[in-house]
Amino acid sequence: MSSKSKKSKSVGVRYTPEQKKEIVDFVQQYNEAKGRGGQSAAVSKFKVSPITIGAWLKAAGVSKKKGKPAKATKASKPAKVKKKAAKKAKSGAKKGSKGAGKRYSATEKQEVVNFVNAYNASNGRGGQSEAARKFNISILTVSAWLKKSGNKVVKGGKAVASGKASAKVSSALTSKVASLLQMSDRIVKAENELAKLRAGFESMKASIRPLI
């Protein structure tokens, strides 16, 4: 490159491919020797703006730091990506279609529970199965609603309030705990009495020894 082109301002100057290559090669050699700073050194030496040099380096595929050609990114495979996306969409649609059942209101659930109770009161059993047939609902769903409402279905088919059963259990447990506490008090009293007897026995024994 001539000295005139080096000293002239970069604004409005057209550079030939040979001049551009000379500057790019200079940046590469400088960075290979010193690790970095080639672009700034080229700006000072050739009086070209850093933006212009950066554009030339980018066009040549050269990294700004180490002067090595930038690695080309691997081309993506759009066909495989599209196939995977289509499969995911299909599987999502299948999952969404399964188990998408009707939502029942609290009033409808209570209606089914009342039907089961009334049927069992009249016929003794079979209310759950009859409700499943009449309302077109699975037996598991009817059973879940009965449990949630506080009714427990026994073998005979009669709905029994679970609250009463729990009350009986709690009262029986309370009485047993009270009995245990009473027994514990009696044991403590007996142990205290036994300790007193042992102390008296040892005292009497100690007083007799000198006389023997």
Side-chain angles (χ1 to χ4, degrees), residues 112-113 116 128-129 131-132 137-153:
V112 174
V113 171
V116 173
Q128 193 171 349
S129 301
I137 305 170
S138 69
I139 294 177
L140 291 174
T141 303
V142 176
S143 177
W145 293 351
L146 288 170
K147 286 180 181 178
K148 195 172 182 180
S149 66
N151 290 342
K152 185 178 179 182
V153 179

Side-chain angles (χ1 to χ4, degrees), residues 9 51 53 69 73 95 97 118 128 148 209:
K9 293 181 180 180
I51 296 174
I53 295 176
T73 55
K95 287 180 181 178
S97 61
Q128 193 171 349
K148 195 172 182 180
R209 278 180 184 174

Side-chain angles (χ1 to χ4, degrees), residues 7-27:
K7 293 180 181 179
S8 60
K9 293 181 180 180
S10 60
V11 180
V13 178
R14 289 184 177 276
Y15 294 90
T16 63
E18 290 78 12
Q19 290 173 323
K20 293 177 183 179
K21 187 176 184 304
E22 181 184 357
I23 295 173
V24 169
D25 291 342
F26 172 83
V27 173

Side-chain angles (χ1 to χ4, degrees), residues 179-196:
S179 299
L180 284 173
L181 290 173
Q182 289 177 359
M183 291 175 68
S184 176
D185 291 339
R186 290 170 62 185
I187 289 170
V188 170
K189 288 179 181 179
E191 286 178 347
N192 291 335
E193 189 66 28
L194 182 60
K196 288 179 182 179

Side-chain angles (χ1 to χ4, degrees), residues 102-117 131 135 137 141-142 144-146 148-149 151:
K102 178 184 175 182
R103 290 185 176 274
Y104 294 87
S105 64
T107 305
E108 291 174 326
K109 293 177 183 179
Q110 189 60 45
E111 182 184 358
V112 174
V113 171
N114 292 339
F115 174 84
V116 173
N117 291 335
F135 297 97
I137 305 170
T141 303
V142 176
W145 293 351
L146 288 170
K148 195 172 182 180
S149 66
N151 290 342

